[in-house]
Amino acid sequence: MTDDVAKFSADPEWLPHRIDPAAGMLQFLRIPRSDLAAPQFLADRIPATAADEAFLPLGGLAGVEPETGPLHFVFHTAFCRSTLLVRALDIPGVSAGLSEPGILVSLTNMGEAGRPLVAPMLDLLSRPHSSAGGVREAAVLVKPTNHANRLIPALLDARPDARAVLMTNPLPAFLAAVVRKGMMGRRWGRQLYLELMGYAGMDLGMDAREQFAMTDLQAAGLAWFLNQRYFAMLLDRYPERLRTLDGDVFDARRADTIAAIADLFDLPLEAAQAARVAEGPVFATHSKRGGDFNATAAKDSERAHSPLVEEEIAQVGQWIAMIADQAGLAVPVTRRAPLL
């Protein structure tokens, strides 16, 4: 068993994937370096073969000290091109991008019981990768699911050397994305509101009946606002380590964004290479589903377009603006500590 622990902790292609608290076991998946940037989130991956999965007792990791390297984060509020960004930053020979590792979902679901495991799991995620040519890469960049945002203080405290981008977008774009997801998107918006009220809530002056009576987009809009407020508090707590980024700004200034993040994360990336990445194939394919991005985006937009929906989004926007004004918060939070 000691040999197994040493084997899996030494090889960065064996990613910690899921914790079974009841059994005290940690699941690893072997994901080759070349497959890290595939469209599917890491949390949704399944082993390619039986040989690409392993289970080890959590207790077996005690005292194990894997070789670690620099680790940085892209935190986000959802639907703001964060997946596209981390895929663009997966640059062989420079940095490895991990999009929504499953282990962070496990740590979130465990609540306080998972806090002692944050540091050792980050150590496993930060093991340096090498490109196909054997070049050791400068850093690992992790984009957690936005449902793990409650973990941000624990993640940053566990890695004092880590820096992070807080990525978001304007409310209308966020709500339009919720609508494009159909009924399940609207349900997701309500769930996100409940989730954020649990760890970043505030007194909104509404009783339970009033909250129940909200429309789906009102609930989603409040979730967006609470996330902005939470990010603002993080900026106050970690002012030197965090920068904000608007997803639309990233899309309009791709090369500038990649170069600025390389500077923030101390990546060995020249401006000319950042420009080549910005013009590369990653921007032509859908970051989550694969296939042609423009064709998929046009189809989604046509399916969800409605004057009534646009009117509702505008009304929710006015309502959220009033709440933000009363709270004394300028939103989106990207007006503070911008990356660009």
Side-chain angles (χ1 to χ4, degrees):
M1 183 59 68
T2 301
D3 291 342
D4 287 341
V5 172
K7 169 188 172 182
F8 295 121
S9 64
D11 186 348
E13 291 194 345
W14 283 96
L15 291 178
H17 184 66
R18 186 177 66 88
I19 294 171
D20 183 340
M25 300 295 288
L26 172 62
Q27 179 189 23
F28 285 84
L29 295 186
R30 193 182 76 84
I31 301 177
R33 171 67 185 87
S34 58
D35 291 346
L36 288 180
Q40 190 179 37
F41 291 142
L42 292 172
D44 298 329
R45 303 286 182 94
I46 58 174
T49 69
D52 295 310
E53 178 183 41
F55 293 86
L56 294 176
L58 279 171
L61 295 175
V64 173
E65 297 183 0
E67 180 185 7
T68 63
L71 179 71
H72 304 291
F73 299 98
V74 175
F75 301 119
H76 62 100
T77 58
F79 307 138
C80 57
R81 299 186 177 92
S82 58
T83 301
L84 177 61
L85 177 62
V86 79
R87 289 190 68 214
L89 293 170
D90 186 76
I91 307 170
V94 176
S95 54
L98 306 183
S99 184
E100 306 205 1
I103 192 63
L104 298 182
V105 177
S106 279
L107 292 175
T108 301
N109 291 341
M110 290 176 69
E112 288 303 316
R115 295 301 182 265
L117 297 173
V118 169
M121 294 304 111
L122 291 185
D123 284 347
L124 291 172
L125 291 180
S126 72
R127 291 165 296 173
H129 290 259
S130 296
S131 65
V135 177
R136 183 184 174 97
E137 293 169 351
V140 174
L141 313 181
V142 175
K143 188 209 82 159
T145 170
N146 71 298
H147 296 290
N149 280 352
R150 69 171 66 213
L151 278 181
I152 293 176
L155 298 175
L156 292 175
D157 290 344
R159 294 301 294 256
D161 57 331
R163 292 182 288 279
V165 170
L166 303 180
M167 196 169 182
T168 186
N169 60 354
L171 178 59
F174 176 85
L175 293 179
V178 170
V179 172
R180 287 196 298 272
K181 299 295 183 181
M183 183 184 76
M184 295 309 295
R186 290 174 176 269
R187 184 175 186 272
W188 176 90
R190 285 190 172 276
Q191 289 178 317
L192 187 63
Y193 166 68
L194 293 173
E195 186 178 294
L196 277 153
M197 283 294 285
Y199 70 89
M202 62 178 291
D203 184 0
L204 296 165
M206 296 189 294
D207 61 23
R209 289 175 60 87
E210 290 174 307
Q211 293 183 66
F212 180 81
M214 287 192 299
T215 68
D216 297 332
L217 293 193
Q218 280 183 297
L222 277 178
W224 177 91
F225 168 74
L226 291 172
N227 232 329
Q228 302 296 322
R229 180 173 175 267
Y230 180 56
F231 276 8
M233 291 188 288
L234 292 170
L235 286 165
D236 289 337
R237 182 170 173 177
Y238 306 97
E240 302 301 321
R241 300 170 62 188
L242 306 181
R243 294 293 180 267
T244 61
L245 175 63
D246 186 299
D248 292 342
V249 172
F250 162 48
D251 192 43
R253 301 175 60 187
R254 295 171 180 173
D256 290 342
T257 301
I258 292 167
I261 290 179
D263 184 61
L264 178 67
F265 294 164
D266 292 328
L267 303 180
L269 191 71
E270 301 293 335
Q273 189 175 1
R276 288 195 295 271
V277 171
E279 296 168 0
V282 69
F283 290 95
T285 58
H286 197 286
S287 61
K288 296 177 182 175
R289 287 178 277 172
D292 182 82
F293 172 80
N294 289 329
T296 301
K299 183 178 180 180
D300 287 347
S301 179
E302 179 181 2
R303 186 172 67 89
H305 177 74
S306 163
L308 288 175
V309 168
E310 292 180 358
E311 180 182 10
E312 183 182 2
I313 288 175
Q315 290 173 339
V316 172
Q318 292 173 354
W319 182 59
I320 293 296
M322 292 173 56
I323 294 173
D325 184 64
Q326 292 172 2
L329 181 65
V331 295
V333 75
T334 45
R335 301 174 191 178
R336 291 181 53 185
L339 177 72
L340 296 173

